[in-house]
Amino acid sequence: MSDEAKKSNINVDLGLSARAEIKGEVPSTSMGRLVDALTDAIRPFTEARGLRADQVRLQREDVLIKIAERARSRMAKESERVSPIPLRVLQPILEKASLTDPDDEPLVETWANILRSASKNERANHIIFADILSKVDVSHLELLKCICKPNEGGAADACLDLQSDLRTFLPDLVRDSTQKASRGERSGDIADSMREDIRKIVDRRGSALVAAGANIRTRDEDRYFELATGFHIDKFPEDLGFALESLNILRIAEFDEGIIGKTSIWLTAYQMTLFGLQFFYAGYDGTDIYR
């Protein structure tokens, strides 16, 4: 049997020992050349920080050990069976996860859950998840957590048809608010009521009200109101939403509804896609939402 034929599977030891053993269908020399190429390419940047190529290599090994141990620990705690991960799935996860800063705890945790999910669930899109996770940072993950609200319930209760709900709801809200204004109710009270009604529709698991405003004309005045949403736009600037939309993780819904010369309202909201929910929960707790 040739040397090449003897090189069979990639095996990642997920035990709690402080090592990660990687054997490959790809010869070890080729794997070493891949790491060498990477470190050579980034040496000008790392040496400016006092890091040499061997230090970069060691850091990549350290973070993989940390991620693998974290995944194994979570699975042991939940009495989950560790199943072999196909080579075509495992290799991109390891390659991309190894570039994570070992001190970047939220990303380490997410990578561990992606590895855990890949071991449990064969149907999920883990190769794609690894690619997406390698492109986002902690701010993106925090935004997704803000939208998905996992502490309030699971993915089964998530809102997946927000745009349809709003197309039905907003015209009724505008007509109701216009009637209140014609009866002489204060514009401020009408705006407060509109805000609460909108948040009940939009601020559910899987969606978030980002910004909203209303123009209300009563018998005595014509006023514009910014409707408080509770969304921290200073913490989650709009470029984060644009990036996640480009990855098909969420959709940005924008609506403008009104009666000319009477009452009008506009709003912007985020809604998770079904694929986005699958990505989030795989990285949040290793869950396959299709099960």
Side-chain angles (χ1 to χ4, degrees):
M1 184 180 292
S2 68
D3 289 340
E4 289 296 321
K6 293 179 182 178
K7 298 178 177 66
S8 55
N9 299 325
I10 281 186
N11 174 42
V12 177
D13 181 5
L14 294 177
L16 295 178
S17 60
R19 65 189 181 89
E21 183 181 356
I22 303 177
K23 297 177 182 178
E25 206 169 74
V26 179
S28 59
T29 54
S30 297
M31 200 169 286
R33 285 198 297 271
L34 178 63
V35 176
D36 288 341
L38 169 70
T39 53
D40 287 343
I42 65 172
R43 181 177 289 114
F45 305 100
T46 60
E47 287 181 346
R49 299 179 57 198
L51 294 175
R52 298 186 304 276
D54 56 342
Q55 291 175 304
V56 173
R57 187 180 295 111
L58 287 173
Q59 178 170 303
R60 295 186 70 182
E61 293 170 357
D62 286 345
V63 75
L64 281 181
I65 292 170
K66 187 173 183 178
I67 288 169
E69 289 180 344
R70 183 75 57 84
R72 184 66 184 90
S73 176
R74 292 283 187 274
M75 297 185 81
K77 185 177 180 179
E78 300 296 330
S79 300
E80 297 169 347
R81 180 174 175 269
V82 179
S83 300
I85 301 172
L87 172 60
R88 65 181 294 272
V89 177
L90 180 60
Q91 186 170 334
I93 291 177
L94 295 179
E95 181 66 27
K96 295 179 185 300
S98 70
L99 300 175
T100 303
D101 187 327
D103 296 325
D104 202 339
E105 190 60 28
L107 283 172
V108 169
E109 181 74 12
T110 305
W111 277 114
N113 282 321
I114 292 292
L115 186 62
R116 172 186 170 192
S117 178
S119 179
K120 295 191 301 176
N121 311 307
E122 295 182 0
R123 293 180 296 172
N125 301 308
H126 293 97
I127 298 176
I128 304 173
F129 292 168
D131 184 59
I132 291 174
L133 187 53
S134 71
K135 295 176 179 177
V136 302
D137 60 24
V138 174
S139 295
H140 297 96
L141 297 180
E142 289 178 347
L143 174 56
L144 293 180
K145 187 174 181 180
C146 175
I147 299 170
C148 291
K149 308 173 183 67
N151 295 331
E152 298 179 12
D157 300 320
C159 172
L160 290 173
D161 202 12
L162 177 64
Q163 297 198 38
S164 177
D165 291 344
L166 287 174
R167 288 191 191 99
T168 302
F169 168 75
L170 288 179
D172 290 340
L173 177 64
V174 168
R175 283 192 293 269
D176 180 60
S177 300
T178 300
Q179 290 172 1
K180 290 179 180 179
S182 66
R183 292 196 299 264
E185 294 189 29
R186 292 179 60 252
S187 58
D189 293 338
I190 297 172
D192 289 342
S193 178
M194 293 178 77
R195 182 188 66 247
E196 293 306 314
D197 288 343
I198 291 169
R199 292 187 66 173
K200 287 176 184 177
I201 291 292
V202 179
D203 277 338
R204 295 178 284 171
R205 287 184 292 279
S207 62
L209 182 61
V210 178
N215 196 87
I216 302 171
R217 175 175 289 182
T218 66
R219 296 172 182 173
D220 303 319
E221 58 183 351
D222 187 350
R223 291 184 60 188
Y224 174 76
F225 295 86
E226 288 284 347
L227 304 181
T229 64
F231 186 86
H232 301 291
I233 195 67
D234 53 336
K235 182 178 181 180
F236 303 121
E238 61 182 8
D239 60 312
L240 298 180
F242 293 150
L244 292 171
E245 184 180 43
S246 74
L247 296 170
N248 194 34
I249 300 298
L250 59 76
R251 296 189 185 95
I252 300 176
E254 296 181 315
F255 284 86
D256 193 341
E257 184 75 31
I259 298 175
I260 297 175
K262 299 292 185 180
T263 303
S264 61
I265 186 170
W266 66 270
L267 66 81
T268 300
Y270 291 154
Q271 179 192 350
M272 296 293 291
T273 64
L274 186 58
F275 172 75
L277 285 171
Q278 188 189 17
F279 167 74
F280 172 78
Y281 279 98
Y284 180 74
D285 59 9
T287 298
D288 179 359
I289 67 170
Y290 291 131
R291 290 199 167 197

